[in-house]
Structure formats: C-alpha cells, structure tokens
Amino acid sequence: MAMKIANVDEGLLLALLNTTPTVAGQVTDRLADPEEAYAWIAEHAGDEHLAEDLELLRSTRDTLQALVHAQAAPAALAPALRGVSYQPVIGDTGIGWRLAAPRAHTLAARAVVAWDALQHTAPGRLRACENTDECTLFYVDHSKSNSARWCSMSGCGNRMKARRHYERRKNTQITD
Ligand SMILES: [Zn+2]
C-alpha cells in the first residue's frame, strides 16, 4: 500500500526536541513545570491538545533526543504509538490518510511519526548542535551540501568560530 503522507510535523518534532535549551550554562526543561508545559503545547499545537499526557510527552522527547545521539533504540518509542492508526479520508482527488491517535498522546505520536519520516526522507539530517559545551539544541540540515554543524550560524556558529580563533591564537602565543 502506497501512502503519501506529508511530513507536516517536522516543526513540531523540532520544537519538542528543543524544549531543553541551555540557558546561562544550565540545561532547562520547558516541559518540567505543568503550567509552562501547557503553555508550550498551546503555543505549538493549539488549545485542543491540552489533554496531552505530559509524562509521556517528556519521555518520548527524551527518547527522541537519545535517538539523535545514537543512545537509544526505536523500540523505546512504542508507548507513544499505542492506539495510533491511519484513517482514510475521501476527498475530491482520492483518498488521503489522517493520523488518528488517542487524545492523551496525539503530540507524542505526531512527533514520533515525523521522526520516522525524516529517517527516510532526510537520513542523518536531524542532528544535535556541535556547540555541545553551551548548546543543547537540535536542527534539521536542509542545506544542499548537508554541511551545517550548528543550530544557527548567527548564534552557535559564530561563537564556535570565535572560540577556535581565540584558541588558535593562544596556542600560537604559547609555542612562540
Ligand atoms: Zn547551538
């Protein structure tokens, strides 16, 4: 069966992966506090998703992050896919497929499905920022050369370049 399903949830997946940013040298968690977590859900998915199971959403995020770091097996994502199916929707041009998931983990399921789709459509392009000392963000490299190394060129890219320049100068001065 050939099902054509657009990966519309790449943004949601990335937003979920990036709920643990490093702020002033500390790794934070935007889903740790329920009030902040529900605000995050409302912002990224809309009020209709406020029935989401926060614990499952957090553990799914943790697994997805570990998968990007090659520190987990996909089987750990199974809880997010319980009761999930695709339902046919008939339209003017034929049949489309809609993800159907229990209300308690619709977002977790969508993120997992988006992650899986990326493995096929853009293998290896979902990565962690290489500025690992200061940054815990993830990105999808859409560049033609597939050579992006940072969550953002203007942020971590420039900081890493500046640091390397400084270290090169320091090393040069020591050996001189
Ligand atoms: Zn970064």
Side-chain angles (χ1 to χ4, degrees):
M1 181 174 58
M3 290 203 307
K4 199 160 174 264
I5 296 156
N7 194 1
V8 290
D9 281 330
E10 186 182 307
L12 173 71
L13 168 66
L14 208 53
L16 181 63
L17 285 168
N18 286 339
T19 50
T20 55
T22 296
V23 180
Q26 295 286 320
V27 180
T28 62
D29 184 352
R30 291 201 60 192
L31 303 181
D33 170 63
E35 203 173 315
E36 201 186 345
Y38 288 127
W40 182 90
I41 289 174
E43 183 189 337
H44 288 89
D47 289 345
E48 69 270 29
H49 289 289
L50 293 179
E52 188 81 7
D53 179 337
L54 292 181
E55 207 171 310
L56 184 70
L57 188 63
R58 278 193 295 263
S59 66
T60 302
R61 176 209 52 205
D62 294 348
T63 302
L64 288 168
Q65 290 181 337
L67 277 162
V68 177
H69 288 294
Q71 289 166 347
L77 296 171
L81 296 176
R82 255 178 230 140
V84 173
S85 63
Y86 275 103
Q87 289 177 348
V89 183
I90 191 85
D92 290 341
T93 56
I95 295 170
W97 295 88
R98 188 180 58 199
L99 187 76
R103 276 170 60 78
H105 55 95
T106 304
L107 295 181
R110 280 169 50 186
V112 168
V113 169
W115 169 82
D116 178 68
L118 268 182
Q119 304 310 298
H120 300 288
T121 59
R125 284 176 174 260
L126 172 61
R127 298 195 287 268
C129 179
E130 286 189 27
N131 185 13
T132 50
D133 287 346
E134 300 169 302
C135 184
T136 41
L137 295 181
F138 297 80
Y139 64 98
V140 178
D141 187 351
H142 285 296
S143 71
K144 211 169 182 181
S145 57
N146 192 20
S147 59
R149 298 172 61 193
W150 334 106
C151 61
S152 79
M153 198 59 224
S154 56
C156 286
N158 280 338
R159 273 198 291 277
M160 288 295 278
K161 273 188 190 160
R163 193 188 311 155
R164 266 200 307 250
H165 180 72
Y166 169 78
E167 277 165 11
R168 238 189 334 258
R169 277 192 54 179
K170 201 171 64 176
N171 291 340
T172 313
Q173 280 162 4
I174 289 165
T175 47
D176 275 353

